[in-house]
Amino acid sequence: MQPSPSDIPAPAARFRWSWTSFLSLATALVAVGSATLHLVGSIWHFQYLQFWGVDARLFPQAADQILLKGFYALFDRLLLLFIALAKEWYLLLLVVALLFLLALYIDAITDKAVDAVVKVAHSGRPWRKRVVQGLMLGLTFASFAMLATFVLVALMGIPAAAAEMSARKSAEANAADFAKGCAESKRSCVEIQRAGQPPIQG
């Protein structure tokens, strides 16, 4: 007896990569990347001028300059992170191994916890089932809220922290260079001529 067409399971839908999908993904990445670079560049500009006690609103920057500063700030922090990881590669492998074991342990504990909850929910009185369902629903919402908050903090805090550290590093390096004076400084000095008064160099 041959199975009817309704009894034959439908094949699983497969994701098909197309130029439309590629362009949509590329557009989304460009938008997110541009917003991130603008955020990092703006924070870098503000923190750098704040180091010198200057109000950043007095020196507005063009959008392309903000994006360029954001790019160099992120590149600087990522390069330092790569160098640190390359030097301590064995610690990185150890952390990855520990995280893998922790994930396996959590997966095993979660399976046992789900089995126990299902057993309790399907046994006893109906009110017990409603209580268990309510607790699981509340736990699910709480876990989702905590995860969403963590992701938002990471997405906003990590670029901001990278911009602040990069700006402070640049400002401190420039301050040390300025302290050497015009004779030894890497930057060119400017001389302002004043009528009847000695010129100003700096």
Side-chain angles (χ1 to χ4, degrees), residues 102-125:
L102 180 62
L104 291 179
Y105 176 76
I106 292 177
D107 181 66
I109 293 297
T110 302
D111 290 341
K112 293 182 180 180
V114 170
D115 293 339
V117 170
V118 171
K119 184 177 180 180
V120 172
H122 289 283
S123 63
R125 300 179 179 181

Side-chain angles (χ1 to χ4, degrees), residues 40 43-44 47-48 73 77 158-170:
V40 173
I43 295 176
W44 190 98
Q47 292 294 331
Y48 181 83
R77 295 295 98 184
I158 293 177
E164 290 183 9
M165 289 186 292
S166 178
R168 180 168 293 276
K169 175 187 174 183
S170 298

